[in-house]
Amino acid sequence: MSQESGHYYVPAPSAYPIIGSTALLCIMTGAALTMNKIEYGTGVLAVGFAILIYMLFGWFGTVARESESGKFNKQVDMSFRWGMSWFILTEVMFFCAFFGALFYMRNLSIPWLEAESSVLGNSFWSSYNGAWPTAGPGVHEQFTPMGAWGLPAFNTMLLLLSGVTCTLAHHALKENRRDALKNWLLATIFLGALFIGCQAYEYMHAYSDLNLKLTTGAYGSTFFMLTGFHGFHVTVGAIMLTVIYFRSLAGHFTPEHHFGFEGVAWYWHFVDVVWLGLFIFVYLM
């Protein structure tokens, strides 16, 4: 069932979905045990991640070999495109939930609490001022909010620049300029890694100098949830780009057949756009 035969390629039955489900079950169980300080939790968590890594290398390796052997026709290519599109849509909805929580607190719940505090007499939060950023009523621990300029602005520049280098790598691939493809891919990976390093430094600065923590009420929880999950997505994207780089070194992809690259590029541009939203609504506003 080659590409020229016009048939839709159907892969052989695989155990990888079961292996992946087992890995996720171990990870969730291990995480729950670890958070509750139950013995063997970290061991179960480590086993889950080991199985997940094995599954990812095996499954994606199989897909890459099938692609390079010419088994995927236009129908299969279209199914991959739809699959990646739906995946990115779920990621968009994931971040929309956290942006929605931020909007709800800043524009609805905190003003309600501020208005309610004026009629509660000598309540422990009767003098609550709901100006954002705030930890919320009843939280008296002082903290300094993270400023927009400086490191956050530098990180914004890094991600925007990485979007440019990723696009240049894509154009180089379509023009069959392999050396330029590898160089621009390396530049994108470097910028992504530098972003992750800067964000780690920002977190250390927040904890040690600003007393800003995940437990710092409304502001701290939304700040770290949004920026932390974004940092996780940047890490995943950088790993994906690294895989694409090594596949490029191995001679994979042609100007006409390279959805593996395109799918990762879509994901990376999605990460860039999400950061712009974060910079505006979390840092600037």
Side-chain angles (χ1 to χ4, degrees), residues 8 11 21 34 65 83-84 106 114 116 149 152 161 172 175 189 193 200-202 211 223 258 268 278:
Y8 191 93
S21 300
T34 301
R65 287 190 294 272
M84 193 64 185
R106 290 182 61 170
E114 182 182 17
E116 194 70 19
W149 307 112
L161 187 58
E175 296 167 4
I189 295 167
Y201 176 81
E202 179 185 70
N211 197 36
F223 174 82
H258 55 262
W268 194 254
L278 282 172

Side-chain angles (χ1 to χ4, degrees), residues 1-8 73:
M1 289 186 288
S2 65
Q3 209 169 7
E4 291 78 14
S5 66
H7 294 289
Y8 191 93
N73 59 16

Side-chain angles (χ1 to χ4, degrees), residues 136-157:
V139 182
H140 302 294
E141 190 174 4
Q142 298 298 313
F143 70 95
T144 303
M146 185 67 67
W149 307 112
L151 198 55
F154 179 70
N155 265 349
T156 303
M157 182 195 71

Side-chain angles (χ1 to χ4, degrees), residues 31-179:
L33 294 175
T34 301
M35 286 188 292
N36 288 280
K37 299 181 180 179
I38 298 176
E39 193 177 4
Y40 307 121
T42 54
V44 175
L45 190 62
V47 169
F49 276 111
I51 297 173
L52 180 65
I53 292 171
Y54 167 78
M55 184 273 296
L56 290 174
F57 271 93
W59 201 346
F60 282 102
T62 299
V63 173
R65 287 190 294 272
E66 291 172 344
S67 175
E68 291 303 310
S69 63
K71 293 180 179 179
F72 294 165
N73 59 16
K74 290 184 178 180
Q75 286 179 297
V76 178
D77 182 79
M78 184 60 66
S79 69
F80 279 133
R81 293 177 184 275
W82 273 110
M84 193 64 185
S85 299
W86 283 113
F87 169 68
I88 292 177
L89 178 62
T90 63
E91 295 290 277
V92 171
M93 294 297 103
F94 176 86
F95 279 100
C96 281
F98 287 109
F99 277 113
L102 177 64
F103 173 84
Y104 178 83
M105 282 195 297
R106 290 182 61 170
N107 296 279
L108 296 174
S109 64
I110 288 175
W112 289 342
L113 290 171
E114 182 182 17
E116 194 70 19
S117 69
S118 63
V119 296
L120 290 181
N122 294 321
S123 169
F124 71 100
W125 53 279
S126 60
S127 60
Y128 172 62
N129 180 1
W132 188 265
T134 177
V139 182
H140 302 294
E141 190 174 4
Q142 298 298 313
F143 70 95
T144 303
M146 185 67 67
W149 307 112
L151 198 55
F154 179 70
N155 265 349
T156 303
M157 182 195 71
L158 288 178
L159 273 191
L160 292 177
L161 187 58
S162 73
V164 174
T165 57
C166 184
T167 301
L168 290 172
H170 192 191
H171 283 291
L173 175 56
K174 291 194 291 186
E175 296 167 4
N176 204 28
R177 294 185 288 115
R178 305 293 299 191
D179 289 339

